[in-house]
Amino acid sequence: QVQLVESGGGLVQAGGSLRLSCAASGSIFSINTMGWYRQAPGKQRELVATITSGGWTNYADSVKGRFTISRDNAKNTVHLQMNSLKPEDTAVYFCTASTSRRYWGQGTQVTVST
């Protein structure tokens, strides 16, 4: 079992920045990929970014050049630096960790105002 706890969400004006963090605990030795998904009201959950234990990253086209995912394997944490935020980035952001299955955090709200 893996437990994930997110932090860092909040309210920010368009053009601003936020940094999300996620701490993993439990069976952390078996984690391969970690990442972030988001779900806006009335929409399906979508991929934001992922990072493997070796540091390979993948981003949704909508956030490329604005968001940066990073990972500290020693501290079992993953971060999402979000710059140049847009109102359409407003969503609940979920941290994920994959072993033989995918684990989800409870989510943190990000609201970008105009």
Side-chain angles (χ1 to χ4, degrees):
Q1 293 287 326
V2 174
Q3 294 79 44
L4 302 170
V5 178
E6 302 107 332
S7 60
L11 173 65
V12 65
Q13 287 189 330
S17 299
L18 281 175
R19 179 177 169 87
L20 304 183
S21 296
C22 175
S25 60
S27 301
I28 56 177
F29 60 89
S30 59
I31 295 175
N32 180 10
T33 300
M34 298 187 75
W36 295 90
Y37 283 67
R38 67 186 181 187
Q39 187 167 19
K43 295 188 177 181
Q44 290 189 334
R45 193 170 295 188
E46 64 177 4
L47 169 75
V48 177
T50 60
I51 184 168
T52 69
S53 56
W56 290 98
T57 59
N58 180 49
Y59 294 93
D61 287 343
S62 59
V63 307
K64 282 181 181 177
R66 299 188 299 121
F67 291 11
T68 302
I69 190 169
S70 61
R71 179 171 175 173
D72 186 333
N73 290 325
K75 295 182 179 180
N76 307 308
T77 56
V78 63
H79 307 281
L80 186 68
Q81 178 66 43
M82 306 185 293
N83 298 328
S84 302
L85 283 160
K86 305 175 181 180
E88 50 264 43
D89 294 317
T90 295
V92 178
Y93 284 69
F94 297 90
C95 175
T96 70
S98 296
T99 58
S100 58
R101 54 158 285 188
R102 180 178 291 158
Y103 294 88
W104 296 87
Q106 293 199 348
T108 184
Q109 177 70 46
V110 171
T111 303
V112 184
S113 63
T114 55

